Amino acid sequence: MPCLLLGGLLPGWKQGLPLISKGGQIELYVPPSLGYGSTPQYDNSGNLLVPANSILIYNIDLVNVQ
C-alpha cells in the first residue's frame, strides 16, 4: 500500500484527512476554492478530466496512519 504525504495534496484533502481516524471513512466534498479552482485539468492526451470550477467528491477509507 503506498504511503501518502499531505504536502502534495489539494488544500481540501489537507483539511479533510486529519478529520478521519484510522479505519474511518469520509465522503469529502471539496469546493473549487480548495480544489483546482478555475484551472481545468487534462490528461497527457489532452482529454478533459476535471472541468474548471468543479466541486470534487471523494469517498475515502483511511486504512492506516503512521
Side-chain angles (χ1 to χ4, degrees), residues 8-30:
L9 298 178
L10 293 172
W13 274 64
K14 290 179 186 179
Q15 290 183 16
L17 285 182
L19 302 175
I20 315 169
S21 299
K22 179 179 175 179
Q25 299 176 346
I26 192 171
E27 186 170 68
L28 183 63
Y29 288 75
V30 179

